[in-house]
Amino acid sequence: MSGTIRLDSITPAEIAAARARLPRLFAATWHAQALRFALLAGAVLYLGYLHWLFEFDRIFSGFDRLWLILRVMFDWSHFAEWDHAEILRSMAETVTMAFLGTALSGLVALPLGFLGARNVIPSRVFRFCTRRVFDVCRGLDQLIWALVFVRAMGLGPIAGVLAIFVSDTGVLAKVYSEAIENAEQGQIDGIRATGASRLMTLRLGVLPQVMPVMLSQALYQLESNSREATILGLVGAGGIGLRLSERIQINAWDQVAYIILLILVTVAVIDTVSRHIRARLISG
Amino acid sequence: MNDVTPSPTAWERDPSYRLFLTRYTELRWRKRMETVLTATVLALLVLISVVFTEFYPNRLLTGAPRVGEYFGKLFSVVPQTGAEPVPVLAWGHLFGGVKEPQSVAYWFYRIGTYATLLWQTVQMAIIATAMGFTAAFALSFPAARNLVATRWLVFVTRRVLEIARSIPQVVLAFILVWPFGIGPLAGILAIGIHSTGALGKLFSEVNENADLRALDGIRATGGNWLTQIRYGIVPQVLPNFLSYGLLRFEINVRSSTIIGFVGAGGIGSEFKRVIGFNIYEEVSAIAILILLIVMVIDLASERVRARLIGKLAGEPAR
């Protein structure tokens, strides 16, 4: 039967079987077409709704103002009159904020990571609770933490350091406990077999295995935090963001462009340095 | 024991042991010096950072009680007017009526406003992701080295994507508020531009790893560049694109909750207002809502992504 083509006597059952086997060779059935049409109509309606919700018409009236801003941004004829000392000081403040926040959170996350690891604390309830605490620290954005700490500590970089510290502790504690859970059991058993105490088992059996991972994760966080730290100043938590927001508010667009460029360069430098150190850490 | 182990003098006379000993002490010393050096450098950096950020203990101590104060005020009652508030945390308070200042109902009494704002926030994330996805889709093909022969086109497209993703979103939103006015539009554009940069990079990497045999097949039938891409590349990269797009959507939901801090729409502006005015109940209510919505969206998107990948794995290899 197979191999011969009988154009005259194909039964509907055969067609249906062929359609079931290779559906995409056939034209879409009418209800598939209707469904496709309904989806398309729904998408168009939805876009219309969003257009109404967000007043997208304003895009067109905004473009000439955007053009004006862009033109001012690249006119640096007053470069010598800008307050360079203040800008550079704030940039240094931002970098140190990111560094201090990450360093502190790395220190605190180390014991927390052990507390959250399954192979260190077998209790499910305890682990559930610690993990949820990490989730809350991580789940609220750094900018929200910055707002909270600005209220408590007042304006200035100290609030920024604390914001980075809290949210980063959440991230690092989670990653650390996962690294600890993935540590090889053989080495841990080996240390335990020598009669080492629980603490010594962790110190000699687990820590050497996970230390490079932890350090490289902390460095990775340092990169990400130095990006984030640049915007914390927008809510008053110190650093270059504060200068940026001042410049935006007085429409000093040329300085805004300069500060953004400065941020991009600084972040790129930190990324490069950190990537080199991480590569060295991983290779041993 | 003494009869089993050789006498110390015998060990010391052994030249290979002496060599081992010198190498061992040398290595150990070097390692120790390395540790000391690293620790010193780190300590110095920390010290500099402490000075620069004024991270002094006395300032921390004066500020720290005010962080605890938040929870104290959240769970406290004033027994008489003018008296000091007494901290109370009891189920009776927590599940009391709308009039009870410590109850959940009191916290959430403006749930209608929050719901509208959260809805707006999620819609912002959706449209911004869609915009970013579309733009990144279009730009990812000229940014792929294996699909375009013109070197300068690849270079320019890549730099454009790089700039789009490296300017902080919040800064971008703050700037865009000036031309486009206060409101969600500036936020959408800022998130959309950032998504374009981030997705464009990932998409172009997917394109560069695509199998070019399908493209060659289309070329052999006489298809032009557009048809080669449409029928040779898009079908194999689209599932990956969608998966990255969903991941980006999760990130964008988070971003759109805070982009309002600079006046760019969504729940962020309301959140900033209640934090500024120290309205304790509303701060916790909005924080809980933000956490909830982020978690729900993450879970939903994770499901969809798992199905997407499952579908990929289920499909026979061609």
Side-chain angles (χ1 to χ4, degrees):
Chain A
M1 188 183 113
S2 62
T4 52
I5 300 171
R6 301 164 295 121
L7 283 180
D8 50 339
S9 58
I10 298 174
T11 61
E14 279 174 341
I15 294 176
R19 188 193 279 280
R21 204 155 56 84
L22 298 163
R24 296 179 71 177
L25 279 185
F26 288 80
T29 55
W30 71 266
H31 48 262
Q33 277 177 353
L35 187 71
R36 211 175 287 166
F37 179 76
L39 277 176
L40 197 69
V44 169
L45 276 178
Y46 178 66
L47 280 180
Y49 165 71
L50 286 180
H51 182 91
W52 167 79
L53 186 69
F54 294 132
E55 304 161 30
F56 267 99
D57 297 324
R58 286 203 303 202
I59 280 193
F60 302 107
S61 59
F63 270 128
D64 43 340
R65 264 172 295 173
L66 185 65
W67 175 239
L68 196 73
I69 288 176
L70 281 176
R71 240 180 25 209
V72 180
M73 268 189 173
F74 295 102
D75 169 25
W76 287 16
S77 44
H78 299 287
F79 187 77
E81 297 158 29
W82 299 344
D83 195 346
H84 287 284
E86 188 195 43
I87 292 174
L88 290 179
R89 215 202 104 84
S90 302
M91 198 65 235
E93 208 172 270
T94 298
V95 175
T96 49
M97 260 162 63
F99 179 76
L100 195 57
T102 317
L104 285 177
S105 70
L107 274 183
V108 174
L110 187 65
L112 287 181
F114 277 101
L115 289 182
R118 189 183 311 134
N119 47 357
V120 179
I121 310 268
S123 157
R124 277 186 85 121
V125 180
F126 185 80
R127 205 172 63 244
F128 182 84
C129 294
T130 47
R131 286 281 167 102
R132 291 298 83 76
V133 172
F134 302 162
D135 280 354
V136 172
C137 290
R138 213 155 34 92
L140 286 177
D141 197 273
Q142 230 162 53
L143 215 52
I144 297 177
W145 285 117
L147 266 182
V148 170
F149 284 116
V150 164
R151 284 237 35 108
M153 299 287 169
L155 295 172
I158 201 164
V161 174
L162 288 172
I164 294 174
F165 165 67
V166 170
S167 75
D168 204 33
T169 303
V171 177
L172 282 182
K174 177 175 182 277
V175 196
Y176 283 5
S177 57
E178 275 163 11
I180 292 165
E181 281 178 2
N182 288 330
E184 203 198 316
Q185 191 60 35
Q187 294 188 35
I188 305 171
D189 289 340
I191 302 290
R192 192 180 296 155
T194 65
S197 66
R198 268 194 78 74
L199 206 63
M200 283 318 263
T201 314
L202 293 181
R203 163 73 185 82
L204 297 172
V206 181
L207 204 60
Q209 288 191 55
V210 295
M211 206 58 195
V213 181
M214 287 179 166
L215 279 177
S216 87
Q217 282 292 346
L219 279 170
Y220 186 76
Q221 281 307 118
L222 179 66
E223 291 172 37
S224 133
N225 284 336
S226 51
R227 279 165 218 275
E228 291 275 317
T230 56
I231 58 164
L232 291 182
L234 293 178
V235 296
I240 193 78
L242 196 62
R243 306 286 158 246
L244 193 59
S245 90
E246 287 167 6
R247 303 303 192 270
I248 293 176
Q249 269 157 358
I250 59 167
N251 288 357
W253 298 113
D254 45 353
Q255 296 189 47
V256 170
Y258 170 63
I259 292 177
I260 290 178
L261 210 64
L262 204 62
I263 290 175
L264 296 187
V265 170
T266 312
V267 167
V269 168
I270 292 179
D271 276 10
T272 315
V273 172
S274 156
R275 202 177 310 139
H276 275 285
I277 301 178
R278 274 195 290 140
R280 274 194 57 183
L281 272 176
I282 288 168
S283 68
Chain B
M1 278 275 184
N2 275 343
D3 50 348
V4 183
T5 47
S7 69
T9 44
W11 269 111
E12 275 170 9
R13 260 179 275 130
D14 189 347
S16 55
Y17 171 72
R18 295 193 62 87
L19 189 64
F20 162 76
L21 200 68
T22 41
R23 284 282 162 80
Y24 175 74
T25 10
E26 194 182 302
L27 251 177
R28 186 153 187 182
W29 192 74
R30 197 185 296 161
K31 183 96 193 160
R32 206 164 274 174
M33 282 310 287
E34 242 171 49
T35 314
V36 168
L37 199 72
T38 320
T40 320
V41 169
L42 271 179
L44 214 66
L45 284 176
V46 166
L47 206 70
I48 294 172
S49 304
V50 165
V51 173
F52 255 103
T53 57
E54 298 160 23
F55 198 78
Y56 302 133
N58 59 337
R59 285 202 56 193
L60 275 177
L61 287 177
T62 48
R66 266 172 285 178
V67 180
E69 202 177 83
Y70 168 80
F71 292 100
K73 281 211 178 144
L74 196 57
F75 296 110
S76 62
V77 284
V78 183
Q80 290 154 338
T81 33
E84 279 290 299
V86 182
V88 171
L89 178 57
W91 294 118
H93 285 295
L94 217 51
F95 294 107
V98 183
K99 295 270 167 62
E100 187 105 10
Q102 279 71 44
S103 70
V104 172
Y106 184 84
W107 290 4
F108 286 98
Y109 81 106
R110 289 182 59 215
I111 187 81
T113 319
Y114 302 155
T116 318
L117 283 172
L118 274 178
W119 172 252
Q120 193 193 44
T121 308
V122 175
Q123 300 308 311
M124 277 169 71
I126 292 176
I127 188 74
T129 313
M131 278 170 61
F133 189 92
T134 315
F137 183 86
L139 290 176
S140 72
F141 300 106
R145 276 202 205 96
N146 54 345
L147 300 180
V148 181
T150 335
R151 284 273 153 263
W152 64 266
L153 185 64
V154 176
F155 182 82
V156 170
T157 322
R158 291 196 159 202
R159 291 299 87 73
V160 167
L161 291 174
E162 212 162 76
I163 292 170
R165 71 169 173 272
S166 49
I167 299 177
Q169 259 176 97
V170 181
V171 172
L172 206 54
F174 203 172
I175 295 173
L176 289 178
V177 160
W178 289 89
F180 296 107
I182 287 183
L185 189 59
I188 292 171
L189 289 175
I191 300 177
I193 290 173
H194 188 84
S195 305
T196 305
L199 285 177
K201 175 177 188 270
L202 293 172
F203 287 3
S204 66
E205 278 165 7
V206 173
N207 285 339
E208 290 188 340
N209 289 323
D211 184 359
L212 291 184
R213 279 177 302 179
L215 185 130
D216 289 340
I218 308 290
R219 188 189 296 156
T221 66
N224 61 12
W225 189 77
L226 271 180
T227 33
Q228 285 170 33
I229 298 291
R230 167 68 187 85
Y231 297 102
I233 301 291
V234 172
Q236 36 171 331
V237 295
L238 202 59
N240 266 332
F241 279 20
L242 286 177
S243 170
Y244 279 136
L246 278 170
L247 212 59
R248 194 70 224 173
F249 174 59
E250 292 172 33
I251 300 171
N252 284 349
V253 170
R254 282 162 213 265
S255 310
S256 59
T257 57
I258 55 152
I259 206 105
F261 285 9
V262 292
I267 192 131
S269 48
E270 179 71 10
F271 198 31
K272 193 182 181 194
R273 188 183 71 81
V274 293
I275 291 181
F277 284 105
N278 244 350
I279 312 172
Y280 291 92
E281 300 83 14
E282 299 199 19
V283 172
S284 19
I286 296 182
I288 290 170
L289 284 176
I290 288 180
L291 279 175
L292 266 180
I293 196 97
V294 166
M295 269 205 261
V296 166
I297 298 237
D298 277 9
L299 281 177
S301 148
E302 209 170 278
R303 280 253 169 111
V304 177
R305 267 189 298 128
R307 276 190 59 183
L308 211 64
I309 293 166
K311 234 179 169 178
L312 261 182
E315 237 172 35
R318 258 172 254 171

